[in-house]
Structures are given as C-alpha cells and as structure tokens.
Amino acid sequence: MAFNDLDRKRIENAMVAFMAKRRPPPHIRPELDIGYRLTDQSVEIFEIRPQWDNPAITRERPFAKATYVRTQNLWKVFWKRSDLKWHGYEPAATVKSIDEFLAVVDADQYCCFFG
C-alpha cells in the first residue's frame, strides 16, 4: 500500500531539507548531483551524473533506500553494494522515522553512502 497524502508530504518535506543540506554547490550540479524518489513504500536516494563517454546521457545510481514496514511501524535501511544488490545497512538496519533514516545516511558511519 502506498503512502497516504499526509505521510507523503511529511517525507517530501524531510527529503527537501536533506537535499538542501547534502546537494553539491550549483556550479557542480551539471557534473554531480543527488536526487530522491518515492516508490510504493520506499524512499530511494540516488546520484545523478552524465555518462562518462557521452555527456548528453544522464545516469542515476541509487545508493541508499529505506522501505517502510507498516505492520512493524519501522523503516528498513539498505545500501547498494558493488554487486548492484540492496543489502541491509548493519549499523542501523531499522529506524523509527524518515528523519532517523536521513540522519543515518548523513552520518554515513561505514562510508557506504557517500564514500
């Protein structure tokens, strides 16, 4: 089941604040930027870059994801490894809110999200 309107707005507000804090300066954004998307019960954060051999093509590389589990009232935190599969993020496998998820991504304790 997808988020209701109130939940979606709360998530979007949290994501806008996070993006304002973590996005690179405007002059760098054509070469490197970050974005997010809401899909069903998940929030995904991704890197946006031009393709190395054809700058006209823009590529998105997701690196962080949180999936809401309504029955348990918590968010599961994932990171994408080099095998291109989502794996649970061990320092904080679950969090109680979207703000906690964003704090975990921002802290990046094991350097899995931002390197």
Side-chain angles (χ1 to χ4, degrees):
M1 180 177 172
F3 296 113
N4 64 36
D5 292 338
L6 182 60
D7 289 337
R8 180 173 290 277
K9 192 62 176 172
R10 188 174 299 128
I11 292 166
E12 287 174 356
N13 288 340
M15 293 304 299
V16 166
F18 177 78
M19 291 293 147
K21 179 181 178 183
R22 291 301 301 212
R23 282 182 81 187
H27 69 279
I28 296 174
R29 291 179 189 166
E31 297 298 320
L32 171 66
D33 202 357
I34 61 172
Y36 74 95
R37 74 172 60 92
L38 273 67
T39 309
D40 297 328
Q41 292 295 105
S42 295
V43 177
E44 190 174 275
I45 304 172
F46 54 88
E47 178 183 88
I48 306 165
R49 287 181 180 256
Q51 186 169 306
W52 69 274
D53 62 346
N54 186 355
I57 299 173
T58 304
R59 299 285 184 192
E60 294 178 355
R61 186 187 67 84
F63 61 86
K65 180 169 90 167
T67 301
Y68 184 66
V69 181
R70 192 172 299 275
T71 58
Q72 298 174 359
N73 194 29
L74 55 83
W75 293 82
K76 289 187 177 183
V77 180
F78 299 96
W79 68 291
K80 193 171 261 192
R81 294 184 65 164
S82 59
D83 63 2
L84 302 179
K85 295 181 182 175
W86 290 107
H87 296 268
Y89 186 64
E90 288 304 318
T94 60
V95 293
K96 296 269 185 199
S97 69
I98 191 69
D99 294 319
E100 285 183 43
F101 163 66
L102 296 174
V104 166
V105 172
D106 194 39
D108 199 7
Q109 182 179 353
Y110 285 1
C111 300
C112 296
F113 304 117
F114 295 103

